[in-house]
């Protein structure tokens, strides 16, 4: 059983890969830091996209991984450099000059950069101006859900441990976990094995080993977990049109826990120590 659940060797990053992932992760985190002061009522999501695009390309001399991504099987490639998912949009929202942020909105801004061939993928929520109690609560619970998932990761743990930690926490708060989209292995490839489900049972699935790099990115809904894909073939919304929130980090598995490759200076990650 244990040997069957061991990860294939190809998912264990070399020391050189890990160094590359640290650089890419840091750049992705720095895009979120850069854009934060611009995220306020009155700005369009397309303006945010342009600021991020130009920063990634001109300042970081990196590549925005989302731009032109995922064009296979008849779907048009993603047209922009970041995803901006507002209110009932779960993920993969397309920036637009007509989507102007207003007081009370919540938005996930998701950025992935490629530097020297390696990917760094991270996202955070913004509450625009004064959010409702519910808007603030779903935002905070989604972040804590991500942290609960991160906390159980170390060599020898199972992927199912992450899903159970997240699902138990979210459902105890009477919110729901999106099923159709998950975290993912990441490295020279944007989305690679393993899939990191944000629900499940501990002790199941692949056993984790030091040197694996993947994302944890739970999407948490106020209402039901079901989603619907819009006609643009990208924008994912909640079926009941209630609010959804998401946070994402790229992490490295170590013998004793994790290294958060996309950590931002403002974040308190001291919970990982105990
Ligand atoms: N960054 C997203 C993720 O967390 C993927 C976005 S793909 C895009 O995996 F094409 F929609 F940008
Ligand atoms: Co991701
Ligand atoms: Co992402």
């Amino acid at each position: 059983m244990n040997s069957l659940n061991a990860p294939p060797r190809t998912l264990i990053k070399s020391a050189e890969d890990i160094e590359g992932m640290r650089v890419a992760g840091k750049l992705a985190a720095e895009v979120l830091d850069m854009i934060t002061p611009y995220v306020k009522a009155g700005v369009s999501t397309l303006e945010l996209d342009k600021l991020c695009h130009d920063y990634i390309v001109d300042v970081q001399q990196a590549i925005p991984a989302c731009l032109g991504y995922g064009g296979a099987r008849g779907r048009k490639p993603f047209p922009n450099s970041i995803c901006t998912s507002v209110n009932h949009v779960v993920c993969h929202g397309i920036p637009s000059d007509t989507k102007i942020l207003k007081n009370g909105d919540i938005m996930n801004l998701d950025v992935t950069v490629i530097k020297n061939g390696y990917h760094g993928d991270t996202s955070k929520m913004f509450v625009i101006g004064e959010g409702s109690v519910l808007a603030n609560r779903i935002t905070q619970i989604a972040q804590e859900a991500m942290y609960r998932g991160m906390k159980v990761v170390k060599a020898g743990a199972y992927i199912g441990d992450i899903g159970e930690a997240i699902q138990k926490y979210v459902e105890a708060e009477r919110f729901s976990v999106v099923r159709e989209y998950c975290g993912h292995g990441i490295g020279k490839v944007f989305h690679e094995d393993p899939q990191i489900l944000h629900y499940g049972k501990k002790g199941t699935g692949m056993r984790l080993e030091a040197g694996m790099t993947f994302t944890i990115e739970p999407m948490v809904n106020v209402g039901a977990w079901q989603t619907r894909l819009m006609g643009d073939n990208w924008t994912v919304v909640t079926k009941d049109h209630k609010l959804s929130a998401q946070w994402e980090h790229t992490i490295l598995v170590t013998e004793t826990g994790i290294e958060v490759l996309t950590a931002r200076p403002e974040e308190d990650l001291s919970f990982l120590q105990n």
Side-chain angles (χ1 to χ4, degrees):
M1 160 90 171
N2 272 358
S3 65
L4 287 176
N5 288 355
R9 305 322 298 167
T10 49
L11 297 187
I12 311 301
K13 266 60 180 179
S14 68
E16 185 190 340
D17 290 338
I18 288 167
E19 204 36 56
M21 291 297 288
R22 285 194 180 108
V23 172
K26 185 165 196 297
L27 291 180
E30 284 172 357
V31 176
L32 292 183
D33 287 330
M34 179 282 296
I35 201 65
T36 292
Y38 295 98
V39 181
K40 42 187 188 196
V43 76
S44 76
T45 53
L46 192 65
E47 290 174 84
L48 299 175
D49 174 70
K50 179 162 173 42
L51 287 163
C52 289
H53 173 276
D54 291 353
Y55 187 77
I56 294 167
V57 171
D58 299 334
V59 178
Q60 299 186 328
Q61 297 182 307
I63 298 167
C66 293
L67 185 59
Y69 176 79
R73 280 171 269 112
R75 179 170 67 170
K76 77 172 163 61
F78 193 80
N80 292 86
S81 298
I82 57 171
C83 298
T84 48
S85 303
V86 180
N87 295 337
H88 68 294
V89 178
V90 173
C91 62
H92 305 166
I94 300 175
S96 155
D97 57 354
T98 60
K99 187 69 205 172
I100 314 281
L101 296 179
K102 59 179 194 308
N103 193 42
D105 282 343
I106 60 171
M107 177 182 69
N108 173 275
L109 195 156
D110 192 338
V111 56
T112 308
V113 305
I114 310 171
K115 183 72 174 183
N116 301 323
Y118 294 98
H119 291 73
D121 186 7
T122 188
S123 76
K124 67 177 269 196
M125 293 299 296
F126 295 89
V127 178
I128 310 304
E130 197 107 312
S132 67
V133 170
L134 186 61
N136 281 289
R137 215 164 98 75
I138 191 72
T139 293
Q140 196 244 301
I141 289 203
Q143 184 178 39
E144 178 63 20
M146 174 185 67
Y147 287 155
R148 297 274 177 130
M150 289 160 63
K151 176 108 179 119
V152 299
V153 177
K154 61 176 181 190
Y158 291 82
I159 287 182
D161 300 358
I162 302 170
E164 180 170 310
I166 291 171
Q167 184 180 16
K168 275 201 165 153
Y169 170 71
V170 168
E171 292 180 355
E173 299 288 339
R174 311 214 164 251
F175 292 134
S176 68
V177 176
V178 169
R179 305 287 200 273
E180 298 99 323
Y181 302 89
C182 58
H184 50 90
I186 182 168
K188 286 181 175 155
V189 175
F190 190 169
H191 295 106
E192 64 182 22
D193 282 345
Q195 291 197 3
I196 307 295
L197 301 185
H198 303 113
Y199 59 95
K201 274 239 79 50
K202 70 178 175 199
T204 66
M206 189 183 286
R207 188 156 42 76
L208 300 172
E209 279 186 29
M212 296 175 73
T213 52
F214 55 81
T215 71
I216 298 182
E217 49 180 304
M219 287 139 275
V220 177
N221 294 353
V222 161
W225 58 262
Q226 281 84 359
T227 64
R228 196 163 69 82
L229 182 64
M230 300 295 281
D232 60 20
N233 274 306
W234 280 108
T235 309
V236 177
V237 298
T238 54
K239 220 166 205 173
D240 58 17
H241 278 213
K242 293 185 181 177
L243 293 177
S244 185
Q246 177 181 31
W247 296 73
E248 176 177 24
H249 272 310
T250 299
I251 67 173
L252 165 71
V253 181
T254 68
E255 290 301 337
T256 54
I258 63 173
E259 186 177 319
V260 183
L261 300 176
T262 47
R264 297 183 304 281
E266 103 245 7
E267 266 185 296
D268 180 9
L269 297 173
S270 59
F271 71 91
L272 291 169
Q273 289 346 297
N274 5 247

